[in-house]
């Protein structure tokens, strides 16, 4: 795997510097103090869902696995650390041979989660686990936020296709990750070619207003596009007068026109008018695509409109108001000594202000009612109750430093559809509310 597969510039040799400096200074102090080799368990979780959200979506797991594999301190990285005096020579020597050799368990990508869910569990020595904190959180917090927004939009679209088109509204690398997460959350296509290249997501795109404005007339622009891309293309009809553009489009293509796109105005009203006009002109199979700063609420408001697909940009790639999931990476258990046989003891932060955590290496299961509908997220330490044994959520992702759970992106997408479908129906309501099922601690 090279760095291009991660959405990284080709001159970035590894993911090792996608971290905060204090990860390395903690490592140095632990090496000097003799605690670096203590077996440790870290868990990723969130204490609460974003305000008003009823469920979260796990996304970015595949990218985390890539990042762990590429977490290497090569000569250039070590030279940078040495030049800046960030860590001492013994620590640099230790980093030179760094390879994560532990185990990682987690919720499979596309699964839903709730407050307290142990979304990811990283096990190994303190030294090798602590270094992964920042890169894991940066991926999961971003991608899960985008996937959650995408899921809400997908639910609001009620089966109508969604096009991800937010590349121009975010960082160029975040755009690729956003397209991937949106696909997991239910979007069908992306306009971002890098996402299509790296992750196999279907790509779409035809023309913008600039193409129409380039030509001496709208007719000339439509003719040029149809001649190049065929009658099944999508023509943008709101550069000037929508009704006139629709007449011109059908005049050029006949009833075989693939679709028209509306990018401004009162979308509900305009869509109805355009559908009526297309039908009167005989273009009864021509689809209507709408764009223009859509979010899940706008999509839901168009449920009764004759719209066939939605294109979403800004609101999607910014998490529709919640650009992070506030996930944390906390040490929950550690050995009493560096002896590999030393028992693990639970540890947890105890503080005021709502930032406490629960110690111990956890399991998680989702209890369902007699109809198979989820009714609680159950989290515990120790033996799993027999009645929940086949409802466990964590799967092995990395064993002894080797990735064991790679899967196609479509598998995560299908898993999310199934997981969301197993929640109570109120999960997809857009009204503000608490988590749709409670978290219980066994």
């Amino acid at each position: 795997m090279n760095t291009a597969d991660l959405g990284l510039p080709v001159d970035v040799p590894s993911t090792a510097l996608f971290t905060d400096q204090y990860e390395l200074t903690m490592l140095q102090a632990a090496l000097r103090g003799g605690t670096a080799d203590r077996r440790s368990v870290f868990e990723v979780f969130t204490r609460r869902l974003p305000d008003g959200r009823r469920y979260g979506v796990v996304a970015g797991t595949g990218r985390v696995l890539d990042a762990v594999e590429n977490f290497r301190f090569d000569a250039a990285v070590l030279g940078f650390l040495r030049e800046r005096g960030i860590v001492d020579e013994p620590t640099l020597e230790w980093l030179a041979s760094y390879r994560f050799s532990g185990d990682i368990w987690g919720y499979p990508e596309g699964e839903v989660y709730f407050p307290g869910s142990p979304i990811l569990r990283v096990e190994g020595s303190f030294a090798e686990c602590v270094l992964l904190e920042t890169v894991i959180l940066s991926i999961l917090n971003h991608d899960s936020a985008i996937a959650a927004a995408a899921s809400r939009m997908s639910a609001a679209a009620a089966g109508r296709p969604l096009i991800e088109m937010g590349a121009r509204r975010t960082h160029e690398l975040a755009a690729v990750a956003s397209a991937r997460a949106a696909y997991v959350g239910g979007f069908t296509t992306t306009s971002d070619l890098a996402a299509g290249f790296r992750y196999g997501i279907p790509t779409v795109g035809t023309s913008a207003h600039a193409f129409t404005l380039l030509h001496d007339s709208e007719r000339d622009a439509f003719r040029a596009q149809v001649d190049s891309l065929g009658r099944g293309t999508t023509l943008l009809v709101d550069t000037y007068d929508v009704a006139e553009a629709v007449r011109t489009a059908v005049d050029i293509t006949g009833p075989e026109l693939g679709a028209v796109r509306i990018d401004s105005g009162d979308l509900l009203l305009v869509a109805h008018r355009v559908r009526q006009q297309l039908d009167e002109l005989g273009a009864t199979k021509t689809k209507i695509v709408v764009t223009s700063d859509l979010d899940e609420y706008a999509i839901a408001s168009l449920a009764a409109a004759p719209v066939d697909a939605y294109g979403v940009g800004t609101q999607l790639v910014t998490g529709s108001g919640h650009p992070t999931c506030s996930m944390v990476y906390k040490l929950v258990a550690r050995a009493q000594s560096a002896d590999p046989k030393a028992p693990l003891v639970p540890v947890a932060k105890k503080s005021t202000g709502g930032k406490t955590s629960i110690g111990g290496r956890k399991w998680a299961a989702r209890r369902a009612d007699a109809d198979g509908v989820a009714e609680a997220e159950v989290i515990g330490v120790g033996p799993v109750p027999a009645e929940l044994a086949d409802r466990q959520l964590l799967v092995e992702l990395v064993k002894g430093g080797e990735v064991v759970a790679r899967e196609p992106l479509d598998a995560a997408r299908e898993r999310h559809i199934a997981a969301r479908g197993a929640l109570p129906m109120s999960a997809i309501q857009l009204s503000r509310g608490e988590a749709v099922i409670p978290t219980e601690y066994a």
Side-chain angles (χ1 to χ4, degrees):
M1 167 104 30
N2 63 40
T3 54
D5 297 318
L6 300 171
L8 303 175
V10 294
D11 59 344
V12 176
S14 79
T15 54
L17 291 183
F18 288 173
T19 191
D20 290 302
Q21 180 167 317
Y22 79 169
E23 315 291 5
L24 299 186
T25 53
M26 280 193 288
L27 168 65
Q28 177 178 306
L31 288 170
R32 182 171 296 185
T35 54
D37 291 331
R38 286 190 176 187
R39 190 159 54 102
S40 300
V41 179
F42 286 82
E43 288 177 352
V44 175
F45 63 93
T46 185
R47 296 183 176 94
R48 63 190 64 83
L49 296 176
D51 188 32
R53 296 287 172 88
R54 296 171 183 260
Y55 63 93
V57 181
V58 178
T61 308
R63 296 208 307 124
V64 165
L65 298 180
D66 291 342
V68 170
E69 278 193 333
N70 286 271
F71 206 89
R72 303 285 187 267
F73 292 84
D74 59 23
V77 171
L78 293 170
F80 165 77
L81 297 175
R82 180 178 290 109
E83 179 185 349
R84 296 290 183 93
I86 291 172
V87 291
D88 59 19
E89 284 300 322
T91 305
L92 291 171
E93 291 177 12
W94 189 93
L95 292 172
S97 59
Y98 177 85
R99 300 291 186 274
F100 180 73
S101 63
D103 303 327
I104 299 178
W105 290 70
Y107 281 35
E109 190 158 19
E111 183 58 84
V112 296
Y113 71 87
F114 298 92
S117 297
I119 296 163
L120 200 73
R121 188 175 70 222
V122 183
E123 305 180 32
S125 71
F126 176 83
E128 63 181 341
C129 294
V130 75
L131 293 181
L132 298 177
E133 174 181 5
T134 302
V135 70
I136 286 175
L137 287 179
S138 65
I139 292 171
L140 292 180
N141 267 313
H142 174 270
D143 289 21
S144 296
I146 304 306
S151 178
R152 286 164 60 83
M153 293 173 188
S154 173
R160 294 172 178 174
L162 290 158
I163 307 163
E164 185 282 313
M165 47 193 299
R168 290 170 292 171
R169 297 294 187 264
T170 188
H171 186 279
E172 68 271 18
L173 302 185
V176 181
S178 295
R180 183 186 183 282
Y183 190 69
V184 170
F187 275 58
T188 52
T189 54
T190 179
S191 65
D192 191 281
L193 290 179
F197 175 72
R198 290 168 181 159
Y199 299 119
I201 302 169
T203 59
V204 294
T206 50
S207 67
H209 293 291
F211 186 76
T212 300
L213 295 171
L214 169 69
H215 292 79
D216 295 335
S217 70
E218 193 168 51
R219 177 176 291 274
D220 289 345
F222 287 176
R223 172 60 68 189
Q225 183 174 327
V226 171
D227 287 348
S228 176
L229 301 178
R231 294 174 184 266
T233 191
T234 299
L235 295 175
L236 181 58
V237 295
D238 69 329
T239 305
Y240 304 117
D241 179 84
V242 173
E244 180 61 31
V246 171
R247 279 192 293 272
T248 301
V250 176
D251 184 50
I252 291 172
T253 64
E256 296 83 15
L257 175 60
V260 295
R261 178 162 75 95
I262 306 167
D263 187 50
S264 60
D266 183 337
L267 297 178
L268 179 62
L269 174 63
V270 176
H272 277 288
R273 287 177 174 174
V274 168
R275 179 74 273 159
Q276 181 179 355
Q277 185 180 11
L278 287 169
D279 291 347
E280 290 173 350
L281 293 170
T284 58
K285 295 183 179 179
T286 298
K287 298 181 184 293
I288 297 175
V289 180
V290 296
T291 53
S292 185
D293 292 327
L294 299 178
D295 61 10
E296 60 265 50
Y297 300 101
I299 291 169
S301 73
L302 292 168
V307 171
D308 298 285
Y310 306 92
V312 189
T314 303
Q315 292 300 319
L316 175 67
V317 299
T318 57
S320 194
H322 296 290
T324 182
C325 302
S326 299
M327 293 177 186
V328 294
Y329 182 96
K330 296 298 182 182
L331 181 67
V332 297
R334 52 89 173 163
Q336 293 177 317
S337 71
D339 184 343
K341 297 181 180 179
L344 288 171
V345 295
V347 296
K349 178 181 178 181
K350 302 294 183 184
S351 65
T352 58
K355 285 194 172 184
T356 59
S357 55
I358 297 173
R361 182 180 186 271
K362 300 174 193 67
W363 52 263
R366 189 163 300 140
R367 191 174 68 238
D369 64 17
D371 296 319
V373 178
E375 63 179 14
E377 191 90 338
V378 186
I379 299 168
V381 176
V384 181
E387 66 272 17
L388 294 176
D390 62 349
R391 306 285 300 180
Q392 293 189 73
L393 293 163
L394 280 83
V395 299
E396 194 168 28
L397 302 172
V398 176
K399 183 176 182 179
E402 298 296 324
V403 175
V404 296
R406 289 205 186 281
E407 63 180 6
L409 193 58
D410 278 328
R413 173 185 170 82
E414 291 166 7
R415 180 180 297 114
H416 176 63
I417 294 171
R420 188 179 68 192
L423 296 176
M425 291 186 65
S426 57
I428 62 173
Q429 291 178 344
L430 296 182
S431 57
R432 300 173 70 82
E434 301 299 320
V436 72
I437 60 173
T439 299
E440 300 177 359
Y441 291 92

